[in-house]
Amino acid sequence: MVRVGLAMLQGARYEHAEALRAASQQLGLEIEIVHLKMGKEVNSSIDCLVLPGGESTAMRKASESESLLESVFGWMKAHPRRPVLGTCAGAILLAQPHSNYQPFIRTGISRNAWGRQRDSFEALLEVDLEIPSGAEVDSIVDTRNQFNHQPLPVDVLHTDVERHQFHGVFIRAPRFEQSTIECLPVAHLGDETVGVLDGSKLALTFHPELTGDYRFHRWLLHRATVES
Ligand code: GLN
């Protein structure tokens, strides 16, 4: 049983929960998703963690009253080998945790560097990361919140898993400062690195949880089984 902490600060949280459930079924792995809202809920029983995308400034603010981020950063420092998946704003938090912490990924990152919301885009990426394959499962419809958040109908059929393609969804995305990357590039948009792996921390500037392709979530869960 893998316990997955999902930071419920703001942003695409429910989509991650659905992707995690689907990935766990693909792997035939039992998981428990712990919806983290308060700092005191983050403890050493959590095996791995998801930092969703959204708005990093809003996340930092939302975290203030219950000090969730502080606890999440503390957990990462205390358990450096336990895997973390940070998407978009989550990648920003990994690269720029607040002042008491060293960056968890060794790369600079610039917020909103592709432009404004209307400059959001989708593009085919190349992925260079070892990911366990998963069985076919029906799509998972989790309990939705009142906004009925659900994955975008991104057609993953056009991606070719064999050729390591991935459908990247970029929403007011940050950019890694390319010349500052000192960790492993694992996702590429042409010549540009859009995903990095630093030890156990996987940071993506796009949103895999908004597609029906659960490879990165499988990576996280599998890695958690290896590290526990
Ligand atoms: N623009 C957001 C930020 O700076 C990130 C966008 C996203 O997570 N989709 O926090």
Side-chain angles (χ1 to χ4, degrees), residues 10 52-59 87-90 92 110-113 115 117 169-174 205-207:
Q10 184 264 346
E55 183 55 53
S56 53
T57 310
M59 288 180 179
T87 56
C88 210
I92 297 171
S110 306
R111 295 183 59 203
N112 306 330
Q117 189 73 19
V169 179
F170 293 81
I171 304 173
R172 214 149 80 91
T205 57
F206 51 97
H207 285 268

PDB file of all heavy atoms in Angstrom, residues 10 52-59 87-90 92 110-113 115 117 169-174 205-207, ligand 1:
ATOM      1  N   GLN A  10      -4.674  24.486  -3.884  1.00  0.00           N
ATOM      2  CA  GLN A  10      -5.373  25.280  -4.911  1.00  0.00           C
ATOM      3  C   GLN A  10      -5.043  24.587  -6.223  1.00  0.00           C
ATOM      4  O   GLN A  10      -4.131  23.781  -6.289  1.00  0.00           O
ATOM      5  CB  GLN A  10      -4.788  26.706  -4.850  1.00  0.00           C
ATOM      6  CG  GLN A  10      -5.381  27.766  -5.735  1.00  0.00           C
ATOM      7  CD  GLN A  10      -4.597  27.918  -7.023  1.00  0.00           C
ATOM      8  OE1 GLN A  10      -3.482  27.425  -7.140  1.00  0.00           O
ATOM      9  NE2 GLN A  10      -5.205  28.552  -7.990  1.00  0.00           N
ATOM     10  N   PRO A  52       0.420  19.976  -7.106  1.00  0.00           N
ATOM     11  CA  PRO A  52      -0.296  20.259  -8.355  1.00  0.00           C
ATOM     12  C   PRO A  52       0.050  21.627  -8.934  1.00  0.00           C
ATOM     13  O   PRO A  52       0.680  22.459  -8.290  1.00  0.00           O
ATOM     14  CB  PRO A  52      -1.766  20.243  -7.932  1.00  0.00           C
ATOM     15  CG  PRO A  52      -1.802  19.715  -6.561  1.00  0.00           C
ATOM     16  CD  PRO A  52      -0.464  19.961  -5.954  1.00  0.00           C
ATOM     17  N   GLY A  53      -0.444  21.815 -10.175  1.00  0.00           N
ATOM     18  CA  GLY A  53      -0.346  23.122 -10.798  1.00  0.00           C
ATOM     19  C   GLY A  53      -1.500  24.004 -10.359  1.00  0.00           C
ATOM     20  O   GLY A  53      -2.462  23.538  -9.755  1.00  0.00           O
ATOM     21  N   GLY A  54      -1.385  25.249 -10.674  1.00  0.00           N
ATOM     22  CA  GLY A  54      -2.397  26.231 -10.289  1.00  0.00           C
ATOM     23  C   GLY A  54      -1.738  27.590 -10.335  1.00  0.00           C
ATOM     24  O   GLY A  54      -1.209  27.995 -11.359  1.00  0.00           O
ATOM     25  N   GLU A  55      -1.693  28.239  -9.212  1.00  0.00           N
ATOM     26  CA  GLU A  55      -1.085  29.566  -9.147  1.00  0.00           C
ATOM     27  C   GLU A  55      -0.195  29.576  -7.906  1.00  0.00           C
ATOM     28  O   GLU A  55      -0.686  29.521  -6.781  1.00  0.00           O
ATOM     29  CB  GLU A  55      -2.202  30.613  -9.060  1.00  0.00           C
ATOM     30  CG  GLU A  55      -1.737  32.037  -9.054  1.00  0.00           C
ATOM     31  CD  GLU A  55      -0.861  32.382 -10.255  1.00  0.00           C
ATOM     32  OE1 GLU A  55      -1.297  32.130 -11.398  1.00  0.00           O
ATOM     33  OE2 GLU A  55       0.265  32.868 -10.040  1.00  0.00           O
ATOM     34  N   SER A  56       1.107  29.648  -8.134  1.00  0.00           N
ATOM     35  CA  SER A  56       2.020  29.452  -7.003  1.00  0.00           C
ATOM     36  C   SER A  56       1.868  30.529  -5.934  1.00  0.00           C
ATOM     37  O   SER A  56       2.000  30.256  -4.741  1.00  0.00           O
ATOM     38  CB  SER A  56       3.468  29.343  -7.486  1.00  0.00           C
ATOM     39  OG  SER A  56       3.811  30.433  -8.301  1.00  0.00           O
ATOM     40  N   THR A  57       1.577  31.769  -6.364  1.00  0.00           N
ATOM     41  CA  THR A  57       1.410  32.836  -5.363  1.00  0.00           C
ATOM     42  C   THR A  57       0.178  32.549  -4.510  1.00  0.00           C
ATOM     43  O   THR A  57       0.216  32.674  -3.278  1.00  0.00           O
ATOM     44  CB  THR A  57       1.241  34.210  -6.055  1.00  0.00           C
ATOM     45  OG1 THR A  57       2.283  34.349  -7.006  1.00  0.00           O
ATOM     46  CG2 THR A  57       1.310  35.338  -5.063  1.00  0.00           C
ATOM     47  N   ALA A  58      -0.902  32.138  -5.176  1.00  0.00           N
ATOM     48  CA  ALA A  58      -2.127  31.806  -4.435  1.00  0.00           C
ATOM     49  C   ALA A  58      -1.859  30.630  -3.492  1.00  0.00           C
ATOM     50  O   ALA A  58      -2.355  30.592  -2.360  1.00  0.00           O
ATOM     51  CB  ALA A  58      -3.247  31.465  -5.411  1.00  0.00           C
ATOM     52  N   MET A  59      -1.046  29.672  -3.956  1.00  0.00           N
ATOM     53  CA  MET A  59      -0.742  28.515  -3.104  1.00  0.00           C
ATOM     54  C   MET A  59       0.032  28.941  -1.859  1.00  0.00           C
ATOM     55  O   MET A  59      -0.241  28.472  -0.756  1.00  0.00           O
ATOM     56  CB  MET A  59       0.094  27.511  -3.882  1.00  0.00           C
ATOM     57  CG  MET A  59      -0.703  26.790  -4.941  1.00  0.00           C
ATOM     58  SD  MET A  59       0.349  25.632  -5.816  1.00  0.00           S
ATOM     59  CE  MET A  59      -0.845  24.927  -6.932  1.00  0.00           C
ATOM     60  N   THR A  87       3.934  19.642 -10.731  1.00  0.00           N
ATOM     61  CA  THR A  87       3.538  20.041 -12.084  1.00  0.00           C
ATOM     62  C   THR A  87       3.268  21.537 -12.103  1.00  0.00           C
ATOM     63  O   THR A  87       2.538  22.060 -11.272  1.00  0.00           O
ATOM     64  CB  THR A  87       2.275  19.278 -12.538  1.00  0.00           C
ATOM     65  OG1 THR A  87       1.224  19.471 -11.605  1.00  0.00           O
ATOM     66  CG2 THR A  87       2.550  17.784 -12.650  1.00  0.00           C
ATOM     67  N   CYS A  88       3.875  22.196 -13.040  1.00  0.00           N
ATOM     68  CA  CYS A  88       3.648  23.615 -13.318  1.00  0.00           C
ATOM     69  C   CYS A  88       3.894  24.473 -12.065  1.00  0.00           C
ATOM     70  O   CYS A  88       5.041  24.615 -11.668  1.00  0.00           O
ATOM     71  CB  CYS A  88       2.250  23.778 -13.910  1.00  0.00           C
ATOM     72  SG  CYS A  88       2.184  25.168 -15.030  1.00  0.00           S
ATOM     73  N   ALA A  89       2.864  24.991 -11.413  1.00  0.00           N
ATOM     74  CA  ALA A  89       3.122  25.765 -10.192  1.00  0.00           C
ATOM     75  C   ALA A  89       3.865  24.890  -9.174  1.00  0.00           C
ATOM     76  O   ALA A  89       4.702  25.391  -8.405  1.00  0.00           O
ATOM     77  CB  ALA A  89       1.814  26.279  -9.603  1.00  0.00           C
ATOM     78  N   GLY A  90       3.582  23.587  -9.183  1.00  0.00           N
ATOM     79  CA  GLY A  90       4.299  22.664  -8.281  1.00  0.00           C
ATOM     80  C   GLY A  90       5.787  22.622  -8.588  1.00  0.00           C
ATOM     81  O   GLY A  90       6.620  22.501  -7.680  1.00  0.00           O
ATOM     82  N   ILE A  92       7.417  25.159  -9.803  1.00  0.00           N
ATOM     83  CA  ILE A  92       7.932  26.447  -9.279  1.00  0.00           C
ATOM     84  C   ILE A  92       8.240  26.304  -7.786  1.00  0.00           C
ATOM     85  O   ILE A  92       9.286  26.739  -7.302  1.00  0.00           O
ATOM     86  CB  ILE A  92       6.899  27.584  -9.519  1.00  0.00           C
ATOM     87  CG1 ILE A  92       6.677  27.796 -11.016  1.00  0.00           C
ATOM     88  CG2 ILE A  92       7.361  28.876  -8.843  1.00  0.00           C
ATOM     89  CD1 ILE A  92       5.529  28.746 -11.361  1.00  0.00           C
ATOM     90  N   SER A 110      11.396  30.470 -14.534  1.00  0.00           N
ATOM     91  CA  SER A 110      10.758  31.788 -14.682  1.00  0.00           C
ATOM     92  C   SER A 110       9.262  31.598 -14.808  1.00  0.00           C
ATOM     93  O   SER A 110       8.792  30.861 -15.691  1.00  0.00           O
ATOM     94  CB  SER A 110      11.229  32.492 -15.956  1.00  0.00           C
ATOM     95  OG  SER A 110      12.608  32.552 -15.984  1.00  0.00           O
ATOM     96  N   ARG A 111       8.533  32.291 -13.956  1.00  0.00           N
ATOM     97  CA  ARG A 111       7.068  32.163 -13.992  1.00  0.00           C
ATOM     98  C   ARG A 111       6.492  32.816 -15.242  1.00  0.00           C
ATOM     99  O   ARG A 111       7.006  33.821 -15.719  1.00  0.00           O
ATOM    100  CB  ARG A 111       6.471  32.847 -12.759  1.00  0.00           C
ATOM    101  CG  ARG A 111       6.846  32.174 -11.459  1.00  0.00           C
ATOM    102  CD  ARG A 111       6.159  32.871 -10.306  1.00  0.00           C
ATOM    103  NE  ARG A 111       4.707  32.832 -10.475  1.00  0.00           N
ATOM    104  CZ  ARG A 111       3.881  33.689  -9.902  1.00  0.00           C
ATOM    105  NH1 ARG A 111       4.338  34.650  -9.136  1.00  0.00           N
ATOM    106  NH2 ARG A 111       2.579  33.574 -10.104  1.00  0.00           N
ATOM    107  N   ASN A 112       5.436  32.254 -15.740  1.00  0.00           N
ATOM    108  CA  ASN A 112       4.635  32.835 -16.840  1.00  0.00           C
ATOM    109  C   ASN A 112       5.494  33.201 -18.051  1.00  0.00           C
ATOM    110  O   ASN A 112       5.189  34.156 -18.768  1.00  0.00           O
ATOM    111  CB  ASN A 112       3.884  34.085 -16.343  1.00  0.00           C
ATOM    112  CG  ASN A 112       3.064  33.790 -15.104  1.00  0.00           C
ATOM    113  OD1 ASN A 112       2.592  32.672 -14.918  1.00  0.00           O
ATOM    114  ND2 ASN A 112       2.913  34.765 -14.237  1.00  0.00           N
ATOM    115  N   ALA A 113       6.545  32.455 -18.288  1.00  0.00           N
ATOM    116  CA  ALA A 113       7.535  32.872 -19.280  1.00  0.00           C
ATOM    117  C   ALA A 113       7.134  32.554 -20.717  1.00  0.00           C
ATOM    118  O   ALA A 113       7.827  32.969 -21.647  1.00  0.00           O
ATOM    119  CB  ALA A 113       8.886  32.242 -18.951  1.00  0.00           C
ATOM    120  N   GLY A 115       4.238  33.599 -21.720  1.00  0.00           N
ATOM    121  CA  GLY A 115       3.286  34.673 -22.014  1.00  0.00           C
ATOM    122  C   GLY A 115       2.059  34.563 -21.127  1.00  0.00           C
ATOM    123  O   GLY A 115       2.086  33.913 -20.080  1.00  0.00           O
ATOM    124  N   GLN A 117      -2.193  34.072 -20.181  1.00  0.00           N
ATOM    125  CA  GLN A 117      -3.118  32.934 -20.229  1.00  0.00           C
ATOM    126  C   GLN A 117      -3.474  32.559 -21.676  1.00  0.00           C
ATOM    127  O   GLN A 117      -3.497  31.391 -22.043  1.00  0.00           O
ATOM    128  CB  GLN A 117      -4.403  33.314 -19.462  1.00  0.00           C
ATOM    129  CG  GLN A 117      -5.368  32.191 -19.239  1.00  0.00           C
ATOM    130  CD  GLN A 117      -4.889  31.205 -18.173  1.00  0.00           C
ATOM    131  OE1 GLN A 117      -4.029  31.518 -17.365  1.00  0.00           O
ATOM    132  NE2 GLN A 117      -5.423  30.011 -18.200  1.00  0.00           N
ATOM    133  N   VAL A 169       0.334  19.772 -22.073  1.00  0.00           N
ATOM    134  CA  VAL A 169      -0.645  20.859 -21.939  1.00  0.00           C
ATOM    135  C   VAL A 169       0.022  21.951 -21.091  1.00  0.00           C
ATOM    136  O   VAL A 169       0.347  21.725 -19.925  1.00  0.00           O
ATOM    137  CB  VAL A 169      -1.931  20.360 -21.240  1.00  0.00           C
ATOM    138  CG1 VAL A 169      -2.930  21.504 -21.077  1.00  0.00           C
ATOM    139  CG2 VAL A 169      -2.565  19.205 -22.023  1.00  0.00           C
ATOM    140  N   PHE A 170       0.233  23.108 -21.696  1.00  0.00           N
ATOM    141  CA  PHE A 170       0.942  24.207 -21.023  1.00  0.00           C
ATOM    142  C   PHE A 170      -0.046  25.333 -20.750  1.00  0.00           C
ATOM    143  O   PHE A 170      -0.612  25.903 -21.669  1.00  0.00           O
ATOM    144  CB  PHE A 170       2.071  24.732 -21.911  1.00  0.00           C
ATOM    145  CG  PHE A 170       3.189  23.736 -22.125  1.00  0.00           C
ATOM    146  CD1 PHE A 170       3.064  22.727 -23.072  1.00  0.00           C
ATOM    147  CD2 PHE A 170       4.353  23.803 -21.368  1.00  0.00           C
ATOM    148  CE1 PHE A 170       4.086  21.802 -23.267  1.00  0.00           C
ATOM    149  CE2 PHE A 170       5.377  22.886 -21.558  1.00  0.00           C
ATOM    150  CZ  PHE A 170       5.249  21.879 -22.503  1.00  0.00           C
ATOM    151  N   ILE A 171      -0.262  25.626 -19.474  1.00  0.00           N
ATOM    152  CA  ILE A 171      -1.218  26.670 -19.111  1.00  0.00           C
ATOM    153  C   ILE A 171      -0.489  27.755 -18.326  1.00  0.00           C
ATOM    154  O   ILE A 171      -0.070  27.535 -17.192  1.00  0.00           O
ATOM    155  CB  ILE A 171      -2.374  26.092 -18.270  1.00  0.00           C
ATOM    156  CG1 ILE A 171      -3.055  24.948 -19.040  1.00  0.00           C
ATOM    157  CG2 ILE A 171      -3.378  27.186 -17.924  1.00  0.00           C
ATOM    158  CD1 ILE A 171      -4.096  24.191 -18.250  1.00  0.00           C
ATOM    159  N   ARG A 172      -0.333  28.904 -18.952  1.00  0.00           N
ATOM    160  CA  ARG A 172       0.437  30.005 -18.333  1.00  0.00           C
ATOM    161  C   ARG A 172       1.657  29.415 -17.607  1.00  0.00           C
ATOM    162  O   ARG A 172       1.904  29.651 -16.429  1.00  0.00           O
ATOM    163  CB  ARG A 172      -0.434  30.806 -17.379  1.00  0.00           C
ATOM    164  CG  ARG A 172      -0.042  32.273 -17.377  1.00  0.00           C
ATOM    165  CD  ARG A 172      -1.233  33.152 -17.108  1.00  0.00           C
ATOM    166  NE  ARG A 172      -1.540  33.205 -15.702  1.00  0.00           N
ATOM    167  CZ  ARG A 172      -1.054  34.109 -14.862  1.00  0.00           C
ATOM    168  NH1 ARG A 172      -0.262  35.057 -15.296  1.00  0.00           N
ATOM    169  NH2 ARG A 172      -1.389  34.092 -13.600  1.00  0.00           N
ATOM    170  N   ALA A 173       2.357  28.639 -18.392  1.00  0.00           N
ATOM    171  CA  ALA A 173       3.385  27.777 -17.812  1.00  0.00           C
ATOM    172  C   ALA A 173       4.677  28.537 -17.510  1.00  0.00           C
ATOM    173  O   ALA A 173       4.979  29.534 -18.158  1.00  0.00           O
ATOM    174  CB  ALA A 173       3.689  26.644 -18.792  1.00  0.00           C
ATOM    175  N   PRO A 174       5.418  28.049 -16.537  1.00  0.00           N
ATOM    176  CA  PRO A 174       6.762  28.577 -16.310  1.00  0.00           C
ATOM    177  C   PRO A 174       7.746  27.949 -17.301  1.00  0.00           C
ATOM    178  O   PRO A 174       7.397  26.998 -18.006  1.00  0.00           O
ATOM    179  CB  PRO A 174       7.069  28.112 -14.887  1.00  0.00           C
ATOM    180  CG  PRO A 174       6.293  26.843 -14.740  1.00  0.00           C
ATOM    181  CD  PRO A 174       5.064  26.977 -15.607  1.00  0.00           C
ATOM    182  N   THR A 205       6.780  21.332 -16.367  1.00  0.00           N
ATOM    183  CA  THR A 205       6.140  22.648 -16.513  1.00  0.00           C
ATOM    184  C   THR A 205       4.773  22.524 -17.188  1.00  0.00           C
ATOM    185  O   THR A 205       4.097  23.512 -17.402  1.00  0.00           O
ATOM    186  CB  THR A 205       7.036  23.610 -17.324  1.00  0.00           C
ATOM    187  OG1 THR A 205       7.327  23.022 -18.591  1.00  0.00           O
ATOM    188  CG2 THR A 205       8.327  23.901 -16.579  1.00  0.00           C
ATOM    189  N   PHE A 206       4.374  21.296 -17.508  1.00  0.00           N
ATOM    190  CA  PHE A 206       3.071  21.078 -18.146  1.00  0.00           C
ATOM    191  C   PHE A 206       2.177  20.257 -17.214  1.00  0.00           C
ATOM    192  O   PHE A 206       2.558  19.995 -16.069  1.00  0.00           O
ATOM    193  CB  PHE A 206       3.259  20.395 -19.512  1.00  0.00           C
ATOM    194  CG  PHE A 206       4.130  19.169 -19.454  1.00  0.00           C
ATOM    195  CD1 PHE A 206       3.563  17.905 -19.371  1.00  0.00           C
ATOM    196  CD2 PHE A 206       5.519  19.274 -19.456  1.00  0.00           C
ATOM    197  CE1 PHE A 206       4.353  16.770 -19.310  1.00  0.00           C
ATOM    198  CE2 PHE A 206       6.324  18.138 -19.388  1.00  0.00           C
ATOM    199  CZ  PHE A 206       5.732  16.889 -19.318  1.00  0.00           C
ATOM    200  N   HIS A 207       1.006  19.876 -17.718  1.00  0.00           N
ATOM    201  CA  HIS A 207      -0.037  19.281 -16.855  1.00  0.00           C
ATOM    202  C   HIS A 207      -0.412  17.869 -17.297  1.00  0.00           C
ATOM    203  O   HIS A 207      -1.449  17.688 -17.951  1.00  0.00           O
ATOM    204  CB  HIS A 207      -1.298  20.147 -16.913  1.00  0.00           C
ATOM    205  CG  HIS A 207      -1.207  21.417 -16.155  1.00  0.00           C
ATOM    206  ND1 HIS A 207      -1.612  21.537 -14.844  1.00  0.00           N
ATOM    207  CD2 HIS A 207      -0.758  22.629 -16.523  1.00  0.00           C
ATOM    208  CE1 HIS A 207      -1.416  22.773 -14.430  1.00  0.00           C
ATOM    209  NE2 HIS A 207      -0.898  23.463 -15.435  1.00  0.00           N
TER     210      HIS A 207
HETATM  211  N1  GLN B   1       1.443  30.755 -13.790  1.00  0.00           N
HETATM  212  C1  GLN B   1       1.360  29.911 -12.626  1.00  0.00           C
HETATM  213  C2  GLN B   1       2.310  30.375 -11.533  1.00  0.00           C
HETATM  214  O1  GLN B   1       3.142  31.198 -11.763  1.00  0.00           O
HETATM  215  C3  GLN B   1       1.623  28.473 -12.952  1.00  0.00           C
HETATM  216  C4  GLN B   1       0.602  28.002 -13.956  1.00  0.00           C
HETATM  217  C5  GLN B   1       0.143  26.591 -13.783  1.00  0.00           C
HETATM  218  O2  GLN B   1       0.400  25.920 -12.787  1.00  0.00           O
HETATM  219  N2  GLN B   1      -0.604  26.162 -14.754  1.00  0.00           N
HETATM  220  O3  GLN B   1       2.212  29.919 -10.437  1.00  0.00           O
END
